[in-house]
Amino acid sequence: MSFLSSLDISGSALTAERYRADIILQNIANADIPAAAGEEPYRRKQVVFQERPLTFGETLRGVQEANVKSGGVRITEIVENDRDFRPVYDPTNPNADEDGYVYYPNVDTTEERIDLMAAVNAYTANLTALSVVKAMTMQALEIGRQ
């Protein structure tokens, strides 16, 4: 595998994890906003990753060079969680339904924080891998200079 494909793989993972963190932060920001009267509350969103396939030319070069089989990761879709909304009995609230319940998003902030920590850890790991490839490239250039 050439070092350029390593950069592409790490770069795609950095982009995907950053987007994942943005979605998680959006979930946290909307966790305590009740639904307006007659409307549905915010639904928790989750990011779905998929291995990014290589182009035909990249696949041919990979077979000839070092049998590269992956081009990194990409986001295929954003799915909404179908978990039930959180009802809170508050008949004085103007957003309450006829039974006196106000519905809040199906977002669990503890779960979101754990997901955010996982996204940050994955981002950091890919940043470290990118730094290692950069350091190896610099060392190779130093060897060529001598």
Side-chain angles (χ1 to χ4, degrees), residues 1-11 52 54 65 68 70-72:
M1 174 177 8
S2 69
F3 79 94
L4 289 177
S5 62
S6 298
L7 295 175
D8 288 342
I9 291 169
S10 292
R52 187 176 69 192
L54 296 173
E65 293 173 6
V68 177
S70 171

Side-chain angles (χ1 to χ4, degrees), residues 42-137:
Y42 175 84
R43 284 198 175 272
R44 177 180 190 242
K45 294 178 175 59
Q46 293 176 289
V47 178
V48 178
F49 292 156
Q50 180 184 36
E51 179 182 9
R52 187 176 69 192
L54 296 173
T55 64
F56 183 71
E58 291 169 332
T59 303
L60 286 178
R61 281 195 312 273
V63 169
Q64 293 169 355
E65 293 173 6
N67 201 17
V68 177
K69 292 185 172 90
S70 171
V73 66
R74 68 178 179 178
I75 296 171
T76 56
E77 63 181 317
I78 308 297
V79 294
E80 290 186 347
N81 193 303
D82 61 353
R83 194 176 348 174
D84 291 336
F85 297 117
R86 186 172 36 106
V88 174
Y89 185 71
D90 185 5
T92 60
N93 191 314
N95 294 328
D97 64 5
E98 61 276 352
D99 297 327
Y101 285 97
V102 178
Y103 291 91
Y104 285 86
N106 59 354
V107 176
D108 179 3
T109 55
T110 303
E111 183 178 14
E112 295 301 322
R113 288 180 183 143
I114 291 169
D115 285 351
L116 184 59
M117 287 185 341
V120 168
N121 287 341
Y123 188 91
T124 303
N126 281 292
L127 197 56
T128 301
L130 194 64
S131 296
V132 167
V133 171
K134 179 182 167 190
M136 288 188 326
T137 304

